[in-house]
Amino acid sequence: MPDKKTKIILSIETSCDETAIAVLKCSGNIKKPIFKIIANEVSSQIKIHRPFGGVVPNLAKREHIKNLPKIYQKIKKEVVGLERKIDLVSVTVGPGLEPALWTGITFAQDLAQKIKKPLIGANHMEGHLFGFLLSEQENKLDFPAIGLVVSGGHTVLLKMTSLTKWEKLGETVDDAVGEAFDKVARILDLPYPGGPEIERLALSLPKGEKPSINFPRPMLNQHNYDFSFSGLKTSVLYYLRDNPKTNKANIAASFQQAAIDVLTKKAMKAAEEFSAKSIILCGGVACNKTLRETIRKESEKRGLSFFAPEMKFNTDNAAMIGAATYIHILAKKKSLKIEADSTLNL
Ligand code: KG4
Ligand code: ZN
């Protein structure tokens, strides 16, 4: 007999340019939530948005409308008796692109009504934050923990005293770090999304050669936990304008190093100030191996346990939305309104 708390959650994510549906078996308690992935489908729209150099909201909406029924049918084939098994449906209500969010919400409302199951709204950023729980963890998550959410839309530093209680220490005052990667990629004539392209170009710097351009480390020495990446991006623009012959791999690696330095130093400063025992790194930019390894090493040096989602759960997916929904239920937090909230935060 499954215990009373075991829930099968079907989750839907359409906040940006990935259409995703997942089915998760969720059990355990808030001290040790357990997730088993029954199905997890992500359909990326990168190729569609690439010619425009970024995500076009109305194109994203059109693609989500087209993809959602297809993905749902695929999952229905994968999971025998799917509609009987689902206990509840959850959907990202924000933050994200409003037209894109609404497509997921409308689809989820129709589905929940059809199969007569409750519908719960989920916060996309909580999804990123809890993505690491989808995989088996080597270390025990002890609190306080510092959470660093680094995505295309956000850069947030949190102090967490449990999985359900946190305080925002700081966030970006202008561009998100992922946005800076994307914009610098455009400056360097690299395709969208720029993060992975910058990382690839940075890694092409010959072995033994270090990034040598000293780009600014914005807000590094300020006594707060806010970030700013817009000036760093502009410095890259001016540097290339004034030094057009510079090796682009050196520019990419130097920019990446500046961004990583700021993120790492601020996260470690917070860890020291609040005597943290763990660090959680998450969001699309957490795919960056140099960032991951730098924060892992710096954490281990200080005796902190390091947590980050598996690579496939860093960028947008619906499994993380299912995990966030289960944590939300366990925490007995107030339900989110079932309507698109593009500015929802942590
Ligand atoms: O979390 P995510 O999939 O979407 C948002 O919620 O924003 O993050 C997407 C962001 C993009 O800005 C993308 O360029 C960045 O994550 N990104 C990376 C890497 N992979 C994705 N940034 C740096 N290095 C990467 N390897
Ligand atoms: Zn995201």
Side-chain angles (χ1 to χ4, degrees):
M1 268 291 278
D3 84 71
K4 267 205 318 234
K5 280 218 182 98
T6 299
K7 292 235 179 306
I8 307 279
I9 299 180
L10 180 133
S11 46
I12 298 170
E13 155 63 40
T14 62
S15 69
C16 193
D17 60 342
E18 326 282 351
T19 319
I21 305 182
V23 181
L24 246 56
K25 182 177 175 188
C26 311
S27 59
N29 54 34
I30 200 66
K31 289 236 159 71
K32 198 169 176 23
I34 301 163
F35 298 104
K36 183 171 180 290
I37 295 169
I38 300 173
N40 181 41
E41 296 293 335
V42 182
S43 167
S44 169
Q45 304 174 4
I46 284 178
K47 280 199 188 127
I48 287 163
H49 299 286
R50 188 163 270 169
F52 302 94
V55 181
V56 183
N58 277 325
L59 274 186
K61 172 182 165 179
R62 187 191 75 189
E63 289 304 302
H64 287 314
I65 291 173
K66 202 164 79 190
N67 290 334
L68 280 165
K70 284 192 198 157
I71 299 179
Y72 185 70
Q73 286 310 320
K74 188 164 182 220
I75 288 192
K76 231 171 130 176
K77 279 195 195 130
E78 277 170 40
V79 185
V80 183
L82 173 72
E83 293 180 354
R84 245 185 317 107
K85 288 182 178 157
I86 298 169
D87 291 307
L88 60 98
V89 178
S90 85
V91 63
T92 303
V93 293
L97 305 168
E98 207 167 307
L101 289 164
W102 273 118
T103 63
I105 294 172
T106 308
F107 186 86
Q109 280 171 324
D110 290 347
L111 176 64
Q113 199 177 32
K114 179 179 149 223
I115 63 175
K116 299 189 176 62
K117 293 292 154 71
L119 174 61
I120 293 193
N123 179 329
H124 181 82
M125 293 180 73
E126 289 184 17
H128 279 305
L129 188 60
F130 296 130
F132 74 100
L133 294 168
L134 293 165
S135 321
E136 194 89 16
Q137 289 121 57
E138 284 165 34
N139 300 318
K140 189 167 167 283
L141 177 66
D142 285 322
F143 294 96
I146 296 298
L148 179 58
V149 190
V150 281
S151 70
H154 297 86
T155 306
V156 181
L157 198 63
L158 301 174
K159 179 180 102 174
M160 303 172 71
T161 46
S162 74
L163 277 183
T164 61
K165 286 201 189 83
W166 57 77
E167 178 194 326
K168 202 195 279 172
L169 297 175
E171 63 190 319
T172 183
V173 297
D174 42 51
D175 291 353
V177 62
E179 195 180 348
F181 269 85
D182 294 336
K183 288 178 175 170
V184 167
R186 222 174 298 156
I187 294 169
L188 297 177
D189 280 330
L190 298 169
Y192 175 85
E197 299 290 334
I198 295 273
E199 176 171 36
R200 209 167 298 135
L201 188 57
L203 287 171
S204 75
L205 202 63
K207 273 223 151 46
E209 232 177 85
K210 288 226 158 74
S212 68
I213 308 161
N214 190 18
F215 286 127
R217 270 69 173 153
M219 299 185 84
L220 187 59
N221 297 316
Q222 288 192 12
H223 295 294
N224 60 37
Y225 291 107
D226 285 335
F227 301 93
S228 162
F229 292 102
S230 166
L232 171 58
K233 165 207 69 193
T234 311
S235 304
V236 174
L237 181 71
Y238 291 159
Y239 189 89
L240 189 65
R241 185 196 62 189
D242 299 341
N243 306 274
K245 296 219 170 82
T246 314
N247 175 5
K248 285 189 176 172
N250 189 16
I251 297 185
S254 302
F255 156 75
Q256 180 176 279
Q257 199 50 54
I260 291 176
D261 264 6
V262 180
L263 293 169
T264 308
K265 293 208 170 115
K266 289 232 166 178
M268 294 306 141
K269 189 174 138 204
E272 277 160 22
E273 180 175 345
F274 299 106
S275 308
K277 300 200 170 86
S278 312
I279 298 263
I280 302 168
L281 174 70
C282 59
V285 184
C287 284
N288 188 291
K289 291 184 204 73
T290 314
L291 172 66
R292 251 174 126 87
E293 282 322 302
T294 307
I295 295 204
R296 180 196 298 279
K297 268 196 213 132
E298 292 300 317
S299 301
E300 285 168 359
K301 244 199 246 171
R302 292 165 174 80
L304 308 168
S305 304
F306 172 79
F307 298 87
E310 239 180 89
M311 280 301 185
K312 65 178 173 197
F313 296 129
N314 280 311
T315 44
D316 294 348
N317 64 87
M320 69 182 196
I321 299 305
T325 304
Y326 187 62
I327 301 288
H328 199 97
I329 295 170
L330 289 179
K332 300 191 170 63
K333 281 197 183 170
K334 199 169 139 230
S335 302
L336 296 172
K337 270 202 186 141
I338 307 293
E339 58 184 40
D341 181 353
S342 59
T343 61
L344 191 65
N345 209 318
L346 279 167

